[in-house]
Amino acid sequence: MPSPSVTRALPLVELGGLLLVALLCLVFHLRLPGRLPSEADHRAAAQRLQAEGQPGDAVLLFPWWTERARVFVPPTMPVYGYLGSDKDDLSAHPRVWVLGQPELPRSDEAGFLEAFLPGRRAVGETSRHGTLTLTLYENGRHRPRRFTATDAYAKARVYLEQPDGTRRDCPFDGKVHRCPGPAHLYVAPEWHEILYEPRRCLWMHAPGGKQRLVAELDGVPGGLALRLEGGIIFEHAFPKDARLSTTHLGVDDVTAGTGLLSLAIPPGMEGVQKAEARLPEGAPRTVRVWVQADNADRRQVCLDVLAVEPQVGVRG
């Protein structure tokens, strides 16, 4: 049994603890405005981006959650900032501008640079705009695109394919290839989130059973790396319910009659999954990309197929 004096002192200790926490919170909020950039700071950084930016450039936010900066970045520049974006290859972009706020609490600049720097080299000097920093990097992880399914989708031939090879066409209405049956069975580029990453990708929901949803694409150049990238969107990837089934994605070479790429995404597998193969040299080819899942419930797939060149590397 605690002594009476200790019992009487406990409320005072609790009160003291609450007052200390309140004081620390007050100090934090009083100091925070001095660590935040002003509108003038954002506009100054945007002016440099406008003056020195080149076609194909991208902006990466550091920390990733400093969303207000998006309002000021020139609209021609894509902005990346999501949980995990520090490690993103940003392979579509030869140069990356890092718009940083390193003075913010828990910004962890060392951790950011450890994830971001491999394969990249700073170009020029870092400029400071109040508490903002702006640094340009040459992106050695750049993979120039020579073909993307999201850009070529309108000319695709889309159909539902049964195991016996019979097909039902999905006519193009000017915006989407819409299949007969449920409303979600169509093919079109859309913005979706795969494990926090916003991606413009082809919506291709598995039709269910052994049938496949297929899109045939012409004009894929030979001699390049062909990449299949896709995943289950939003929170649908996380559940591991036993009744859910694995989603299968594949790319076949129609010209040669062979399979090129395949991915299997079991329940619970999150994030963008990738596969890559080298296309033979020669004339442009026709490929077909397909999706299938025995149970299509919560198997909402978004994917892309890209023909890319090798990484350019970092010079110097």
Side-chain angles (χ1 to χ4, degrees):
M1 292 288 293
S3 65
S5 59
V6 172
T7 303
R8 289 194 297 269
L10 283 176
L12 296 177
V13 173
E14 292 175 354
L15 178 60
L18 290 173
L19 290 175
L20 178 60
V21 171
L23 179 61
L24 291 174
C25 290
L26 180 61
V27 171
F28 173 81
H29 284 286
L30 289 174
R31 294 180 59 191
L32 186 59
R35 302 184 183 187
L36 295 176
S38 66
E39 182 170 323
D41 299 333
H42 279 295
R43 294 195 181 281
Q47 287 176 1
R48 184 186 176 194
L49 291 171
Q50 187 70 56
E52 301 180 28
Q54 296 180 7
D57 285 2
V59 175
L60 178 65
L61 302 180
F62 161 66
W64 63 267
W65 38 265
T66 51
E67 292 287 328
R68 185 167 183 262
R70 293 180 183 271
V71 177
F72 302 92
V73 173
T76 55
M77 284 190 181
V79 182
Y80 296 86
Y82 57 88
L83 183 61
S85 60
D86 300 358
K87 298 181 289 186
D88 195 327
D89 288 340
L90 303 176
S91 60
H93 307 285
R95 308 195 314 168
V96 179
W97 296 85
V98 174
L99 185 57
Q101 299 186 43
E103 297 180 21
L104 288 177
R106 304 176 66 84
S107 61
D108 188 16
E109 186 173 18
F112 168 79
L113 293 175
E114 182 180 4
F116 174 79
L117 280 180
R120 292 174 171 133
R121 178 177 65 87
V123 179
E125 299 294 328
T126 297
S127 59
R128 295 195 66 93
H129 312 277
T131 58
L132 283 174
T133 61
L134 184 60
T135 310
L136 175 62
Y137 289 87
E138 180 183 347
N139 187 17
R141 307 183 205 177
H142 176 45
R143 304 288 300 275
R145 273 92 165 120
R146 297 296 175 246
F147 175 91
T148 61
T150 49
D151 291 336
Y153 88 102
K155 295 181 179 180
R157 294 174 297 280
V158 179
Y159 51 87
L160 294 169
E161 182 182 62
Q162 302 298 326
D164 62 3
T166 59
R167 302 177 177 183
R168 288 188 297 164
D169 290 336
C170 304
F172 186 58
D173 64 9
K175 293 183 179 180
V176 305
H177 298 270
R178 196 168 299 282
C179 300
H184 61 262
L185 291 181
Y186 62 89
V187 174
E190 298 179 347
W191 280 96
H192 287 286
E193 182 183 290
I194 302 178
L195 192 60
Y196 310 114
E197 178 184 350
R199 292 178 68 94
R200 184 176 182 268
C201 44
L202 282 183
W203 170 267
M204 289 188 68
H205 196 305
K210 298 302 180 183
Q211 66 178 332
R212 296 175 172 182
L213 177 57
V214 181
E216 287 191 3
L217 300 153
D218 299 323
V220 181
L224 300 176
L226 191 71
R227 290 175 64 87
L228 170 61
E229 302 182 351
I232 307 299
I233 68 170
F234 303 135
E235 74 280 4
H236 304 299
F238 176 76
K240 300 180 181 180
D241 193 316
R243 68 184 181 84
L244 300 178
S245 63
T246 297
T247 299
H248 298 275
L249 287 63
V251 180
D252 301 332
D253 186 337
V254 175
T255 305
T258 58
L260 290 171
L261 299 167
S262 63
L263 289 170
I265 307 177
M269 178 177 284
E270 299 183 275
V272 179
Q273 311 305 314
K274 301 177 182 180
E276 182 172 317
R278 180 83 175 188
L279 285 172
E281 300 286 346
R285 322 179 77 76
T286 297
V287 304
R288 61 180 223 149
V289 55
W290 54 266
V291 296
Q292 181 271 327
D294 290 348
N295 179 3
D297 181 34
R298 286 182 281 182
R299 303 289 87 196
Q300 289 90 329
V301 170
C302 211
L303 59 83
D304 206 352
V305 177
L306 313 95
V308 298
E309 294 183 1
Q311 286 185 215
V312 297
V314 175
R315 299 185 298 271

